[in-house]
Amino acid sequence: MLRLLVIEGNTLAGRQRIATFTGTIPAEGYAAVLRTIAPDAIVDICTPADGDGTVPQPLDSYDGVAITGSSLNIYQREVESLRQIDFVREVFARGIPMFGSCWGLQLATVAAGGEVGLNPAGREVAFARKVTLTSAGRDHPMHARRAPAFDAPAIHSDIVTRLPQGSTITAYNAISEVQAAEIRLGRGVFWGVQYHPEYGLHDIAAIIRRYGQILVTEGFFADLIELERYAADLSTLAANQQRRDIAWRLGFGDDIMKASVRQTELSNWVASLVPK
């Protein structure tokens, strides 16, 4: 039986703000997806940003550690970020396999000696388009059964600007040169993606509504009415995937519509933890 730990990347205030739109915090949503992928797994949650250092079970008892997204910017070096960097370094040192989405990739990058910065190309909103596997990525078990190019849920303004030594880029697109990577430090191995395989359409709809005026100001929507129309389409499609008219209009294929495809990297990571 697998025992997995999910690191919540947000501060308490950040979690509370997100929960007003989604009804739950990111780590709970992440844990729910992991339980769907591995129904027999025990999945715990910890919040190292809070500074209490509490882990439900001894760290060495976990077969794998997963890291959520976050509204933090790691280059700001806030105390909540520094606590998480220290925690991830400890996981690396213990050789526990890790997987991270978005903030998780950035956190592991910095913990291992790399750098993250604001993307000069701007924010990537709602979906990362034409994510393309590198030659290393096509052979990497993280991307097993992935098409050579695909779309994925995403929301971020920061990117990995320099990977640490011992890293391999496995996917990229026009917005980010590092859309997925493997990072090694000591005995530890991290698989991570800049997108969010754990997100469904309902998550993206909630994010669009939470960002609201920011996305209008940045030019992604003409006004809040257009923004709400887009979010409503996502919510409708999440509730009824037979709405081919919406999927067609938004350009969604199986990589967005089917959870089994959307969650490919996360599912492959979980599978890698099962003793052969």
Side-chain angles (χ1 to χ4, degrees), residues 17-67:
R17 184 172 64 253
I18 291 168
T20 61
F21 287 88
T22 64
T24 188
I25 66 172
E28 290 172 346
Y30 215 114
V33 171
L34 288 171
R35 293 185 186 107
T36 299
I37 293 170
D40 294 331
I42 296 172
V43 185
D44 295 331
I45 292 171
C46 70
T47 56
D50 294 352
D52 58 10
T54 300
V55 179
Q57 299 294 328
L59 196 52
D60 285 328
S61 70
Y62 292 100
D63 299 294
V65 174
I67 311 171

Side-chain angles (χ1 to χ4, degrees), residues 202-275:
H202 62 287
D203 296 302
I204 297 298
I207 288 168
I208 293 296
R209 291 180 169 116
R210 176 161 57 89
Y211 275 74
Q213 184 60 45
I214 293 173
L215 299 183
V216 174
T217 300
E218 291 181 356
F220 291 101
F221 299 96
D223 50 39
L224 288 174
I225 295 173
E226 183 181 286
L227 179 147
E228 176 54 35
R229 186 179 301 119
Y230 182 82
D233 275 346
L234 296 178
S235 295
T236 298
L237 194 55
N240 180 9
Q241 295 202 359
Q242 301 307 309
R243 288 293 302 271
R244 293 180 59 189
D245 58 318
I246 298 176
W248 174 81
R249 184 167 67 251
L250 299 180
F252 293 164
D254 287 349
D255 44 5
I256 297 298
M257 297 300 297
K258 289 188 176 181
S260 61
V261 181
R262 194 172 61 244
Q263 296 166 3
T264 293
E265 287 80 11
L266 194 51
S267 296
N268 287 335
W269 176 72
V270 171
S272 75
L273 304 176
V274 178

